[in-house]
Amino acid sequence: MCTVGWFGVSTLVRHHPAGGSGEAAPAFPNVVVPVPVSTVAATGGPFTLTRDATVSTDVPGIGDYLAGILRVSTGFALPVSAGAGGTIALVLSGAPATVGDQGYQLTSTHDGVVIRAAKPAGLFSGVQTLLQLMPPAAQGPSPVSAPVTVPAGTVLDHPRYAYRGAMLDVARHFFTVDQVKRYIDEIAHYKINYLHLHLSDDQGWRIAIDGRPRLTDHGGSTEVGGGQGGFYTQADYSAIVAYAAARYVTVIPEIDMPGHTNAALASYAELNCDGVAPKLYTGINVGFSTLCTSREATYAFIDEVIGQLAKLTPGPYIHIGGDESQSTAPEDYVAFVERVQKIVESHGKTVIGWHEIASADLLPSTVAQYWDPAGANADLSRAAAKGTKVIMSPASHAYLDQKYDDGTQLGLDWAGLNDVDHAYDWDPATYVIGVPASAVLGVEASLWTETLSSSDDIDFMAFPRLPAIAEIGWSPAETHDAKAFRERLAAQGPRWQVMGVGYYKSPQVAWPAGS
Ligand code: NGO
């Protein structure tokens, strides 16, 4: 049934309210991205946030996060207290078992809102749903006079995949700590729970390594186009990790190797087979660089870098790149990957690598990230058959750096144009021949930055496609529906408008007037 619902957006009702009172409940609004597992509208609502509202919480940081947003947009005091009983209650008990570790149950009545989860990550996801059920202005930068309401009903929700990532390339162009924090806030709204930072490439090395000052002084001193580049001190990096953790986002550092290493090769001559450091590089061609895989100095270097990164990384994963090593002989590449895996393991971390690493013998825990548009890769299907888990980032759908259409000024187009319908039009469980649904760990939206140098550029390329990939990663396959998704997405436009997130107004979406 389609009705005109909240925000004037047409809503698709998938579940009928449990009746009883005889009074028909209004349709539950189709505005939440990723679409929840189930929504049931109720009578007697909506809930309206008033000046005397309170927040109670079993997880202080999440209560503060929510109240922090709503205080700005309402001017209300919204005191946060431990335990239960608040007008908005965030409770770590009583959720149905189906919510698992990342899901939640949200119940909204005239009198208040209760979000229940088994784990803090679930509560945080419930809070994102709550915010999206409020009018867009609830996430705005200044107090609004219009009431902040939440439709009455129950949302029961949990993710399809445990891993929902966003990759940001800070190597091709450097982005400051504040710019990365901004992106973390943006992705957290869509229940993305991993931020993969591409920290090194031919054009720049972006993380300080003790004892290797030239990596950043020299290797970090430029970027694509010849700009001044930049790098994170370890304290900067820890600040990013902590900021992300407070939003239930785990940071995955990537040091790309053995190819994509010109910045490191330029910084330390001993990493080159001929012992000669090349010049810094600011172009965008790929495939010309390789660490010297036959030199012990290379592995000593990798051990230092991975060892320090492991200490800065509370999460389980370290990404070793491994893509497009066109200047490394295939047998050297295989031996290199097998050895580097063990270095990562010796520092207590699990390897992720781009899918090319599947040509090597992978450790049982190693994860491969598929990025090719082709949908077939013999090495990867062989590895999957032996138990390798796969993150799906097919470039034709999940690369946020590809142009929307022929007129898009930013971005690349080597994987084809990728407007929002196309970004949404694939299924991770069937995308790669020979990689069964059971091998898929999750999805990742990759934002490469050869052509992007500002937060405005990031926003424009990420929105509205990042939410498409987020929904593919979170929502049950049976909810996949392009038309209904476009309607939900349309409801995000006014939200981005008030939050100052510039986005591409894809003609495929009927954005509400004024957004
Ligand atoms: C490829 C390449 C990157 C580029 C990107 C641009 C992978 C894994 N390696 O993806 O170096 O930046 O395409 O779309």
Side-chain angles (χ1 to χ4, degrees), residues 4-39:
V4 173
W6 234 57
F7 312 140
V9 174
S10 161
T11 59
L12 183 72
V13 180
R14 295 180 299 106
H15 298 264
H16 293 286
S21 68
E23 186 192 339
F28 202 82
N30 178 37
V31 293
V32 178
V33 178
V35 66
V37 169
S38 92
T39 56

Side-chain angles (χ1 to χ4, degrees), residues 255 257-258 291 293 298-299 302-303 306 318-321 332-347 349-352 357 363 366:
I255 298 296
M257 54 187 142
L291 293 174
T293 58
T298 295
Y299 300 97
I302 293 169
D303 189 60
I306 299 292
I318 289 193
H319 201 304
I320 61 167
D332 295 343
Y333 176 83
V334 164
F336 176 87
V337 168
E338 289 172 1
R339 188 158 169 190
V340 173
Q341 280 188 113
K342 294 198 181 114
I343 295 175
V344 173
E345 190 188 39
S346 77
H347 291 288
K349 298 296 173 186
T350 300
V351 171
I352 304 179
I357 64 165
L363 294 174
T366 294

Side-chain angles (χ1 to χ4, degrees), residues 169 172 198 201 256 260 286 323-324 354 356 369 371 395 399 401-402 412 414-415 448-450:
D169 171 8
R172 269 50 178 277
H198 185 75
D201 211 302
D256 203 348
H260 288 277
V286 298
D323 56 319
E324 300 176 313
W354 299 107
E356 287 96 320
Q369 182 170 10
W371 64 275
Y399 268 28
D401 69 325
Q402 300 299 295
L412 306 176
W414 68 265
W448 301 96
T449 61
E450 285 94 331

Side-chain angles (χ1 to χ4, degrees), residues 64-79:
D64 291 343
Y65 170 90
L66 176 63
I69 292 170
L70 296 177
R71 281 179 196 135
V72 170
S73 63
T74 61
F76 299 163
L78 286 166

Side-chain angles (χ1 to χ4, degrees), residues 255-311:
I255 298 296
D256 203 348
M257 54 187 142
H260 288 277
T261 40
N262 193 76
L265 296 167
S267 304
Y268 287 97
E270 78 225 44
L271 303 176
N272 298 271
C273 282
D274 62 5
V276 179
K279 288 196 168 57
L280 293 173
Y281 176 71
T282 60
I284 62 170
N285 291 334
V286 298
F288 61 89
S289 57
T290 183
L291 293 174
C292 186
T293 58
S294 57
R295 280 193 171 212
E296 280 310 304
T298 295
Y299 300 97
F301 168 77
I302 293 169
D303 189 60
E304 280 173 60
V305 171
I306 299 292
Q308 292 185 34
L309 272 182
K311 289 208 177 76

Side-chain angles (χ1 to χ4, degrees), residues 263 396 407:
S396 45

